[in-house]
Amino acid sequence: PQPLLGYYQEREGVLTTASYKLTDVWSVSGGIRYNIAQASIDMTTAAITYADDCFTLALTYLSDYSINGPNNGPNNTVMLTIGLRTLGETKVRSAIGSSSTQ
């Protein structure tokens, strides 16, 4: 455990992700993390992405159960990523719902 970093319980897990290309520029993806020490799922993610030769746009939803302590609900986050090939990338995140952090 690392309570100063927001991890209140032992963590040891397996993470898997998958993606599917809908068209040449659109894709969807998702992931799940299984916590071996607690025998439960502690993170899920889903995203939709547009990517062409010059521009990338991704909308990602993340639900993380491991950073709010053992008795609290998940930390739900929506992230928008915008990337321009020659200029770089920026991300905007926002927590959603009523989750509390210890």
Side-chain angles (χ1 to χ4, degrees):
Q2 297 173 304
L4 294 176
L5 297 177
Y7 299 107
Y8 298 94
Q9 297 178 350
E10 191 70 29
R11 297 181 307 140
E12 187 172 316
V14 177
L15 172 68
T16 186
T17 60
S19 63
Y20 181 75
K21 197 165 189 173
L22 300 170
T23 67
D24 286 344
V25 293
W26 287 99
S27 63
V28 293
S29 61
I32 191 166
R33 183 175 62 205
Y34 180 79
N35 186 321
I36 296 169
Q38 296 176 0
S40 65
I41 295 169
D42 68 357
M43 186 197 70
T44 57
T45 182
I48 185 164
T49 304
Y50 173 89
D52 63 22
D53 292 339
C54 300
F55 177 74
T56 302
L57 178 69
L59 183 64
T60 306
Y61 174 79
L62 174 72
S63 184
D64 192 342
Y65 291 82
S66 66
I67 62 173
N68 280 342
N71 299 318
N72 292 320
N75 180 21
N76 298 311
T77 305
V78 173
M79 181 171 51
L80 178 67
T81 305
I82 300 171
L84 301 172
R85 184 172 181 208
T86 57
L87 297 177
E89 179 177 284
T90 187
K91 294 180 183 181
V92 177
R93 298 187 105 154
S94 178
I96 58 173
S98 59
S99 61
S100 61
T101 303
Q102 291 183 353

